[in-house]
Amino acid sequence: MPSLATLVLSDARFPGGGHVHSGGLEEAVARALVTGVGDLGTFLHGRLRTAGLVAASFAAAAAVAAGSAEPCWAALDAELDARTPSAAQRDASRAQGRGTLRAARASWPSPVLDALVAAHPRPHHPLLVGAVVGIAGGDPVEAAQCVAYLAVSGPASAAVRLLGLDPIAVNAAIVAMAPTVDEVVALAVAAADRAPADLPAPGAPMLDLLAQSHVRHHREQVRLFAS
Amino acid sequence: MRPEDHVGHGHGHLVTFDPTETEPDHHDTPPTHGRAVRIGIGGPVGSGKTALVAALARSLADRVRLAVVTNDIYTTEDADFLRRNAVLPPDRVEAVQTGCCPHTAIRDDITANLDAVETLEERFGDLDLVLVESGGDNLTAVFSRGLVDRQIFVVDVAGGDKVPRKGGPGVTTADLLVINKIDLAALVGADLGVMTSDAHRMRGELPVIAQSLVHDPGATDVGEWVLAQVGAVRAAA
Ligand SMILES: Nc1nc2c(ncn2[C@@H]2O[C@H](COP(=O)(O)OP(=O)(O)OP(=O)(O)O)[C@@H](O)[C@H]2O)c(=O)[nH]1
Ligand SMILES: [Mg+2]
């Protein structure tokens, strides 16, 4: 049974700052790469298998670390940095981590959070999610599920807002991804006990480029999302 | 996970592949000073929020150390306006993106705005006041008490003299209601007497100020109210 912490962290109403991030979707929409529910599904699928798998793996590993005597937060943080070559994406991840930390300190106060923050003042979002799930007694599967789901639900919600898509059709598209979500979660959990350097590292050059050009375009024209 | 697992992988510094990103993360100094008083300025699109911020920035410049956060689609627009008119130095204005939901960013999930306020506090260390201008929104949009200490709701006569009696949390609960652009009342056929008496009826004891930034570019009455609030919040802290 999922812990309440996992449900709360996956809820779009969780006040951790997720609603201002589109995960590259806004830039993809601006370039007409995503125009409707069909190509949104393709975008989400690619995101889930790459950025989603990396995030889910680090969340699962963080859930393990939260319960260990000497968690290697600095190594996890550095390895996730290394898997995120886009500076804009690192910023987006740390901004959501900082927001989640603010809410987590009030809801799940723990020395585990202090240790995580000692490694970096604005920890990466997946590490925060994994740590909170671990603190609340949840297992790595929940942490990975939560983060894999957020990897697609955030951009999907942005698509509803930017393109005026039918939210019922978009919801169905997310649910149709269940087999892929399960696959990604299984890969993430299988790797959760490994050393940080050995966690999965699939790349998504297109998402990296979209993230970078999103930031550049924000200086020239309006962008409504932070990433 | 065993701690020795990561020995030898060289985690001494953060990896960056971006040659332009040479600066270290600038968010690592926790604020050591007192917190600035935070006042939210909300209200419908075009009612005069940015004009009020600009007026306050000018008239209060010598009396408080001030910074501003602007929100949403006109973020760049509003931030640029404040910078261009040299009302505030560029580094005193932070712009926030709200993911198409200006009310969410000031009420339900205030993370992005809190980050902006804290960034300004970290940058200057000695701020008295941070004004947070919301994106233009509807009459139900109010600021969370977790984000601001006080809030001003700005409506204008051009929106019609029915606006105050329509009510909504903005009109009924804001700490100050400003009825702006009263210089236009005659032109748009708005009855100022009806507007102010409706406003008082909807708001009970809460204050209402009617003003025109054309006639009073310094927003004198609102400025006095703001200074009083800064004092009151500081005294209560
Ligand atoms: N006549 C008159 N015009 C005013 C007054 N105050 C503001 N304006 C004008 O009203 C227009 C809108 O003002 P802004 O300050 O941009 O309004 P805003 O509420 O910030 O608008 P958004 O941020 O887009 O929601 C501008 O052209 C201002 O110059 C006033 O008291 N009288
Ligand atoms: Mg404005």
Side-chain angles (χ1 to χ4, degrees), chain A residues 14-20 61 64 68 70 72 75 77-79 81-82 85 87 90 94-95 98-99 102 120-122 161-162 192 194-197 212 218 222-226, chain B residues 1-3 5-6 9 11 13-18 21 25-28 72-76 95-101 104-105 108-112 114-116 118-119 122:
Chain A
F14 174 71
H19 78 106
V20 304
V64 172
S68 89
E70 283 186 73
C72 43
D77 192 88
E79 289 293 343
D81 254 358
R90 290 200 297 278
R94 292 196 183 282
R98 188 190 197 192
R102 200 183 271 119
H120 194 289
R122 297 193 308 149
R161 283 177 263 167
L162 288 167
R194 289 186 207 153
Q212 291 302 117
H218 180 61
V222 172
R223 286 287 180 274
L224 301 168
F225 289 79
Chain B
M1 207 160 296
R2 299 180 307 274
D5 279 351
H6 65 268
H9 283 297
H11 295 117
H13 50 268
L14 302 180
V15 176
T16 171
F17 295 125
D18 182 355
E21 204 204 43
D25 192 281
H26 48 269
H27 290 279
D28 49 8
D72 209 21
I73 181 159
Y74 300 112
T75 271
T76 350
V96 160
Q97 285 142 302
T98 65
C100 309
C101 290
T104 305
D108 314 83
D109 184 353
I110 55 180
T111 302
L114 283 176
D115 284 345
E118 288 172 9
T119 297
E122 284 168 22

Side-chain angles (χ1 to χ4, degrees), chain A residues 6-62:
Chain A
T6 307
L7 295 176
V8 168
L9 288 166
S10 341
D11 188 343
R13 292 187 179 88
F14 174 71
H19 78 106
V20 304
H21 294 274
S22 81
L25 195 277
E26 183 176 23
E27 189 65 22
V29 166
R31 290 164 178 263
L33 297 171
V34 173
T35 56
V37 178
D39 43 19
L40 172 65
T42 312
F43 177 94
L44 295 178
H45 198 264
R47 190 166 201 277
L48 177 58
R49 286 199 164 280
T50 54
L53 174 57
V54 171
S57 301
F58 277 78

Side-chain angles (χ1 to χ4, degrees), chain A residues 3 5-6 9 59-68 73 108 110 112-113 126-144:
Chain A
S3 64
T6 307
L9 288 166
V64 172
S68 89
W73 293 125
W108 302 279
S110 160
V112 173
L113 292 178
L127 299 186
L128 238 318
V129 171
V132 167
V133 170
I135 290 165
D139 54 33
V141 179
E142 292 176 33

